[in-house]
Amino acid sequence: MMHPMTFRFFLGLDGGGSLCRARLTDQNGTIIGEAESGSCNIRLGTETAWASINTAIDLCLRKAGLDEAKDRQNIRAVFGLAGFAQTDDPAFLSHTHGLGSLTVTSDAHIACTGAFGETDGAILILGTGSAGYGRVNGREVSVGGWGFEVSDHGSGSWIGRKAVEYALLALDGLWEKTLLTGMIMKPFNYDPKAVVSWTSTARPKDYANFAPTVFDAEKRQDTTARMIIDAAARDASAMIHRLVELGAPSVCLSGGLAARLKSFLAPQAKSFLCAPLADPLAGAILLARRVTEG
């Protein structure tokens, strides 16, 4: 492995449950390539995650006019991946990647670094999944983020799962049929067996794909949609309050659902929010450069 000071390029990668984003810079910090690819939650499988990662890296190199094979060894990379905090799968870290140097951390860590730089603060990711993370007086604090099966409250996958749940209840006559329940069932031809078949292979991002439908229905005064969104907002507000209780002076929202859910948050929770200094990819690159310069 080459000496840190000799790295010509720095790469930050933000791997979420629905999207993998990468950014490549030169030694001066100039962005020379950016790219996106598919799902990158490592809890969904090492091979799936690495396929998305390699696609994003290769696209960055191509856009920068670099050699996809040879120039990987000139890159110092930091990945922030959804699911990293919940797994210690050695297969992922032992995967052959060809990069000159690689550090893997959580998507929350790079988002917090981008949002606050060197200062204290916390972020709440509201995307396909959800997680709260912060730095307070040199220590890490966290809330939630334990995965779709038992956690991810306030996230797109949580909202989508609730929408499917109430759509099935409405078919059984255990819940009122509303605009939303019909919108959810339409792709399944109103067949509950088709829903069950879908759930056998559905990933968190598949549930999250229904979240925009829930927000669209809420705009049309659908009561079921509003109930689901209000519940998600209560959970998100509770996580914000908990991060503040743990010592975070302020909280930044991050993730694809953040802007849509923000207006539904409790007023006091919203009072703790601030705008991020930079995005998660900038945080990942800052971490990469910090290792080089340290």
Side-chain angles (χ1 to χ4, degrees), residues 148 156-165 167-168 184-185 187-189 191-211:
F148 173 73
S157 59
W158 187 93
I159 289 172
R161 183 176 59 193
K162 284 295 178 184
V164 173
E165 178 184 327
L168 286 173
I184 295 297
M185 290 305 303
F188 300 106
N189 294 316
D191 179 3
K193 291 181 181 177
V195 178
V196 174
S197 177
W198 173 81
T199 61
S200 66
T201 57
R203 299 292 200 180
K205 70 173 183 177
D206 299 316
Y207 285 93
N209 285 338
F210 285 117

Short mmCIF file of all heavy atoms in Angstrom, two decimals, residues 148 156-165 167-168 184-185 187-189 191-211:
data_model
loop_
_atom_site.label_atom_id
_atom_site.label_comp_id
_atom_site.label_asym_id
_atom_site.label_seq_id
_atom_site.Cartn_x
_atom_site.Cartn_y
_atom_site.Cartn_z
N PHE A 148 -34.51 -2.51 8.95
CA PHE A 148 -35.91 -2.50 8.53
C PHE A 148 -36.79 -3.42 9.37
O PHE A 148 -37.93 -3.08 9.70
CB PHE A 148 -35.98 -2.92 7.06
CG PHE A 148 -37.37 -3.11 6.53
CD1 PHE A 148 -38.20 -2.02 6.29
CD2 PHE A 148 -37.85 -4.38 6.26
CE1 PHE A 148 -39.48 -2.20 5.80
CE2 PHE A 148 -39.13 -4.57 5.76
CZ PHE A 148 -39.95 -3.47 5.53
N GLY A 156 -38.66 5.97 4.79
CA GLY A 156 -39.48 5.64 3.64
C GLY A 156 -39.96 4.21 3.66
O GLY A 156 -41.12 3.92 3.31
N SER A 157 -39.10 3.28 4.09
CA SER A 157 -39.51 1.87 4.12
C SER A 157 -40.57 1.65 5.19
O SER A 157 -41.50 0.86 5.00
CB SER A 157 -38.30 0.96 4.37
OG SER A 157 -37.65 1.28 5.58
N TRP A 158 -40.46 2.35 6.32
CA TRP A 158 -41.46 2.23 7.39
C TRP A 158 -42.81 2.76 6.92
O TRP A 158 -43.86 2.12 7.12
CB TRP A 158 -40.99 2.98 8.63
CG TRP A 158 -41.85 2.78 9.84
CD1 TRP A 158 -41.69 1.85 10.82
CD2 TRP A 158 -43.02 3.54 10.20
NE1 TRP A 158 -42.68 1.98 11.78
CE2 TRP A 158 -43.51 3.01 11.42
CE3 TRP A 158 -43.70 4.62 9.62
CZ2 TRP A 158 -44.65 3.51 12.05
CZ3 TRP A 158 -44.83 5.12 10.25
CH2 TRP A 158 -45.29 4.57 11.46
N ILE A 159 -42.80 3.92 6.26
CA ILE A 159 -44.03 4.51 5.75
C ILE A 159 -44.67 3.60 4.70
O ILE A 159 -45.88 3.36 4.72
CB ILE A 159 -43.74 5.91 5.16
CG1 ILE A 159 -43.44 6.89 6.30
CG2 ILE A 159 -44.91 6.41 4.32
CD1 ILE A 159 -42.96 8.25 5.83
N GLY A 160 -43.85 3.07 3.80
CA GLY A 160 -44.37 2.17 2.77
C GLY A 160 -44.96 0.90 3.34
O GLY A 160 -46.01 0.43 2.88
N ARG A 161 -44.29 0.33 4.33
CA ARG A 161 -44.79 -0.90 4.96
C ARG A 161 -46.14 -0.65 5.63
O ARG A 161 -47.05 -1.48 5.53
CB ARG A 161 -43.78 -1.42 5.97
CG ARG A 161 -44.20 -2.74 6.63
CD ARG A 161 -43.12 -3.26 7.55
NE ARG A 161 -42.81 -2.31 8.61
CZ ARG A 161 -41.74 -2.40 9.39
NH1 ARG A 161 -40.86 -3.37 9.23
NH2 ARG A 161 -41.53 -1.50 10.34
N LYS A 162 -46.27 0.48 6.32
CA LYS A 162 -47.54 0.82 6.96
C LYS A 162 -48.65 1.00 5.93
O LYS A 162 -49.80 0.59 6.15
CB LYS A 162 -47.39 2.09 7.80
CG LYS A 162 -46.66 1.88 9.11
CD LYS A 162 -47.45 0.96 10.03
CE LYS A 162 -46.75 0.69 11.32
NZ LYS A 162 -47.48 -0.28 12.17
N ALA A 163 -48.32 1.58 4.80
CA ALA A 163 -49.31 1.78 3.74
C ALA A 163 -49.82 0.44 3.22
O ALA A 163 -51.03 0.26 3.01
CB ALA A 163 -48.72 2.61 2.61
N VAL A 164 -48.90 -0.50 3.01
CA VAL A 164 -49.30 -1.83 2.55
C VAL A 164 -50.14 -2.53 3.62
O VAL A 164 -51.15 -3.19 3.32
CB VAL A 164 -48.05 -2.67 2.20
CG1 VAL A 164 -48.44 -4.11 1.87
CG2 VAL A 164 -47.30 -2.04 1.02
N GLU A 165 -49.74 -2.37 4.87
CA GLU A 165 -50.47 -2.99 5.98
C GLU A 165 -51.92 -2.51 6.02
O GLU A 165 -52.86 -3.32 6.12
CB GLU A 165 -49.76 -2.64 7.29
CG GLU A 165 -50.42 -3.16 8.54
CD GLU A 165 -49.71 -2.68 9.80
OE1 GLU A 165 -48.48 -2.52 9.76
OE2 GLU A 165 -50.41 -2.47 10.81
N ALA A 167 -53.61 -1.09 3.62
CA ALA A 167 -54.31 -1.47 2.39
C ALA A 167 -54.89 -2.89 2.51
O ALA A 167 -56.02 -3.15 2.08
CB ALA A 167 -53.36 -1.39 1.20
N LEU A 168 -54.12 -3.79 3.12
CA LEU A 168 -54.61 -5.15 3.33
C LEU A 168 -55.74 -5.18 4.36
O LEU A 168 -56.74 -5.91 4.21
CB LEU A 168 -53.47 -6.06 3.77
CG LEU A 168 -52.48 -6.46 2.68
CD1 LEU A 168 -51.31 -7.22 3.28
CD2 LEU A 168 -53.15 -7.30 1.61
N ILE A 184 -52.43 1.88 -3.28
CA ILE A 184 -51.44 0.87 -2.93
C ILE A 184 -51.79 -0.47 -3.56
O ILE A 184 -50.91 -1.20 -4.06
CB ILE A 184 -51.34 0.71 -1.39
CG1 ILE A 184 -50.81 1.99 -0.74
CG2 ILE A 184 -50.46 -0.48 -1.02
CD1 ILE A 184 -49.41 2.39 -1.13
N MET A 185 -53.07 -0.81 -3.58
CA MET A 185 -53.49 -2.12 -4.08
C MET A 185 -53.55 -2.21 -5.59
O MET A 185 -53.49 -3.30 -6.16
CB MET A 185 -54.85 -2.50 -3.49
CG MET A 185 -54.82 -2.84 -2.00
SD MET A 185 -53.63 -4.15 -1.57
CE MET A 185 -54.21 -5.49 -2.62
N PRO A 187 -51.40 -1.67 -8.11
CA PRO A 187 -50.35 -2.43 -8.81
C PRO A 187 -50.46 -3.94 -8.59
O PRO A 187 -49.90 -4.72 -9.37
CB PRO A 187 -49.05 -1.90 -8.19
CG PRO A 187 -49.41 -0.60 -7.55
CD PRO A 187 -50.82 -0.72 -7.13
N PHE A 188 -51.17 -4.34 -7.52
CA PHE A 188 -51.34 -5.76 -7.21
C PHE A 188 -52.69 -6.29 -7.72
O PHE A 188 -53.09 -7.41 -7.38
CB PHE A 188 -51.25 -5.99 -5.70
CG PHE A 188 -49.94 -5.56 -5.09
CD1 PHE A 188 -49.84 -4.40 -4.33
CD2 PHE A 188 -48.79 -6.32 -5.29
CE1 PHE A 188 -48.64 -4.00 -3.77
CE2 PHE A 188 -47.58 -5.93 -4.73
CZ PHE A 188 -47.50 -4.77 -3.98
N ASN A 189 -53.38 -5.46 -8.53
CA ASN A 189 -54.70 -5.83 -9.05
C ASN A 189 -55.68 -6.19 -7.93
O ASN A 189 -56.53 -7.07 -8.09
CB ASN A 189 -54.60 -6.98 -10.06
CG ASN A 189 -53.87 -6.58 -11.32
OD1 ASN A 189 -54.11 -5.50 -11.87
ND2 ASN A 189 -52.94 -7.41 -11.77
N ASP A 191 -55.33 -7.84 -5.34
CA ASP A 191 -55.25 -9.25 -4.96
C ASP A 191 -54.31 -9.39 -3.76
O ASP A 191 -53.10 -9.21 -3.91
CB ASP A 191 -54.74 -10.08 -6.14
CG ASP A 191 -54.60 -11.56 -5.81
OD1 ASP A 191 -54.96 -11.97 -4.68
OD2 ASP A 191 -54.14 -12.31 -6.69
N PRO A 192 -54.83 -9.73 -2.57
CA PRO A 192 -53.96 -9.85 -1.40
C PRO A 192 -52.90 -10.93 -1.55
O PRO A 192 -51.80 -10.82 -0.99
CB PRO A 192 -54.93 -10.17 -0.26
CG PRO A 192 -56.15 -10.68 -0.92
CD PRO A 192 -56.24 -9.98 -2.24
N LYS A 193 -53.20 -11.98 -2.32
CA LYS A 193 -52.20 -13.04 -2.54
C LYS A 193 -51.00 -12.50 -3.31
O LYS A 193 -49.86 -12.92 -3.09
CB LYS A 193 -52.84 -14.22 -3.27
CG LYS A 193 -53.85 -14.99 -2.44
CD LYS A 193 -54.43 -16.15 -3.22
CE LYS A 193 -55.47 -16.90 -2.38
NZ LYS A 193 -56.10 -18.01 -3.15
N ALA A 194 -51.26 -11.56 -4.21
CA ALA A 194 -50.16 -10.95 -4.96
C ALA A 194 -49.27 -10.12 -4.03
O ALA A 194 -48.05 -10.07 -4.20
CB ALA A 194 -50.72 -10.06 -6.08
N VAL A 195 -49.89 -9.49 -3.03
CA VAL A 195 -49.12 -8.73 -2.05
C VAL A 195 -48.22 -9.67 -1.24
O VAL A 195 -47.03 -9.40 -1.05
CB VAL A 195 -50.05 -7.96 -1.09
CG1 VAL A 195 -49.23 -7.22 -0.03
CG2 VAL A 195 -50.92 -6.98 -1.86
N VAL A 196 -48.78 -10.78 -0.78
CA VAL A 196 -48.01 -11.74 0.00
C VAL A 196 -46.84 -12.28 -0.82
O VAL A 196 -45.72 -12.41 -0.32
CB VAL A 196 -48.92 -12.89 0.49
CG1 VAL A 196 -48.07 -13.96 1.17
CG2 VAL A 196 -49.97 -12.36 1.45
N SER A 197 -47.09 -12.57 -2.07
CA SER A 197 -46.03 -13.06 -2.95
C SER A 197 -44.93 -12.01 -3.10
O SER A 197 -43.73 -12.33 -3.05
CB SER A 197 -46.61 -13.40 -4.32
OG SER A 197 -45.59 -13.81 -5.21
N TRP A 198 -45.32 -10.75 -3.24
CA TRP A 198 -44.36 -9.65 -3.36
C TRP A 198 -43.52 -9.51 -2.11
O TRP A 198 -42.31 -9.29 -2.18
CB TRP A 198 -45.13 -8.37 -3.66
CG TRP A 198 -44.32 -7.12 -3.67
CD1 TRP A 198 -43.53 -6.64 -4.67
CD2 TRP A 198 -44.23 -6.15 -2.60
NE1 TRP A 198 -42.96 -5.44 -4.32
CE2 TRP A 198 -43.37 -5.12 -3.05
CE3 TRP A 198 -44.79 -6.06 -1.33
CZ2 TRP A 198 -43.06 -4.02 -2.26
CZ3 TRP A 198 -44.48 -4.95 -0.55
CH2 TRP A 198 -43.62 -3.95 -1.00
N THR A 199 -44.13 -9.65 -0.94
CA THR A 199 -43.39 -9.46 0.31
C THR A 199 -42.30 -10.51 0.52
O THR A 199 -41.35 -10.28 1.26
CB THR A 199 -44.33 -9.50 1.54
OG1 THR A 199 -44.98 -10.78 1.62
CG2 THR A 199 -45.38 -8.40 1.47
N SER A 200 -42.43 -11.65 -0.14
CA SER A 200 -41.44 -12.71 0.05
C SER A 200 -40.07 -12.33 -0.49
O SER A 200 -39.05 -12.89 -0.08
CB SER A 200 -41.92 -14.02 -0.58
OG SER A 200 -41.99 -13.90 -1.99
N THR A 201 -40.03 -11.38 -1.42
CA THR A 201 -38.75 -10.94 -1.99
C THR A 201 -38.52 -9.44 -1.86
O THR A 201 -37.45 -8.95 -2.23
CB THR A 201 -38.64 -11.32 -3.48
OG1 THR A 201 -39.74 -10.75 -4.19
CG2 THR A 201 -38.65 -12.84 -3.65
N ALA A 202 -39.51 -8.70 -1.36
CA ALA A 202 -39.41 -7.24 -1.30
C ALA A 202 -38.30 -6.79 -0.35
O ALA A 202 -38.14 -7.34 0.74
CB ALA A 202 -40.74 -6.64 -0.86
N ARG A 203 -37.53 -5.82 -0.79
CA ARG A 203 -36.46 -5.23 -0.01
C ARG A 203 -36.96 -3.92 0.60
O ARG A 203 -37.99 -3.37 0.18
CB ARG A 203 -35.24 -4.94 -0.90
CG ARG A 203 -34.62 -6.17 -1.55
CD ARG A 203 -33.98 -7.07 -0.51
NE ARG A 203 -33.01 -7.98 -1.13
CZ ARG A 203 -32.30 -8.87 -0.47
NH1 ARG A 203 -32.46 -8.99 0.84
NH2 ARG A 203 -31.43 -9.64 -1.09
N PRO A 204 -36.22 -3.36 1.56
CA PRO A 204 -36.63 -2.06 2.13
C PRO A 204 -36.90 -1.00 1.08
O PRO A 204 -37.85 -0.22 1.18
CB PRO A 204 -35.45 -1.69 3.02
CG PRO A 204 -34.92 -3.02 3.48
CD PRO A 204 -35.07 -3.93 2.30
N LYS A 205 -36.06 -0.94 0.03
CA LYS A 205 -36.27 0.09 -0.99
C LYS A 205 -37.58 -0.13 -1.74
O LYS A 205 -38.18 0.84 -2.23
CB LYS A 205 -35.10 0.12 -1.98
CG LYS A 205 -34.99 -1.06 -2.91
CD LYS A 205 -33.90 -0.84 -3.95
CE LYS A 205 -33.85 -2.00 -4.93
NZ LYS A 205 -32.83 -1.77 -5.99
N ASP A 206 -38.05 -1.39 -1.85
CA ASP A 206 -39.31 -1.66 -2.52
C ASP A 206 -40.48 -1.09 -1.70
O ASP A 206 -41.44 -0.55 -2.27
CB ASP A 206 -39.49 -3.16 -2.73
CG ASP A 206 -38.40 -3.75 -3.62
OD1 ASP A 206 -38.07 -3.11 -4.64
OD2 ASP A 206 -37.88 -4.82 -3.28
N TYR A 207 -40.41 -1.24 -0.39
CA TYR A 207 -41.41 -0.62 0.48
C TYR A 207 -41.31 0.90 0.39
O TYR A 207 -42.33 1.61 0.33
CB TYR A 207 -41.24 -1.07 1.92
CG TYR A 207 -41.71 -2.48 2.20
CD1 TYR A 207 -40.83 -3.56 2.13
CD2 TYR A 207 -43.04 -2.74 2.53
CE1 TYR A 207 -41.25 -4.86 2.39
CE2 TYR A 207 -43.48 -4.02 2.78
CZ TYR A 207 -42.58 -5.09 2.72
OH TYR A 207 -43.01 -6.36 2.96
N ALA A 208 -40.08 1.41 0.39
CA ALA A 208 -39.87 2.86 0.35
C ALA A 208 -40.42 3.47 -0.94
O ALA A 208 -40.77 4.66 -0.96
CB ALA A 208 -38.39 3.19 0.49
N ASN A 209 -40.50 2.69 -2.00
CA ASN A 209 -41.06 3.19 -3.26
C ASN A 209 -42.51 3.62 -3.11
O ASN A 209 -43.02 4.38 -3.95
CB ASN A 209 -40.95 2.13 -4.35
CG ASN A 209 -39.53 1.98 -4.88
OD1 ASN A 209 -38.71 2.89 -4.74
ND2 ASN A 209 -39.23 0.83 -5.46
N PHE A 210 -43.21 3.14 -2.07
CA PHE A 210 -44.59 3.53 -1.84
C PHE A 210 -44.71 4.84 -1.05
O PHE A 210 -45.79 5.42 -0.96
CB PHE A 210 -45.35 2.43 -1.09
CG PHE A 210 -45.73 1.25 -1.94
CD1 PHE A 210 -45.21 -0.01 -1.67
CD2 PHE A 210 -46.60 1.40 -3.01
CE1 PHE A 210 -45.55 -1.10 -2.45
CE2 PHE A 210 -46.95 0.31 -3.79
CZ PHE A 210 -46.43 -0.94 -3.51
N ALA A 211 -43.62 5.31 -0.44
CA ALA A 211 -43.67 6.52 0.38
C ALA A 211 -44.18 7.75 -0.40
O ALA A 211 -45.03 8.49 0.11
CB ALA A 211 -42.32 6.79 1.02
#
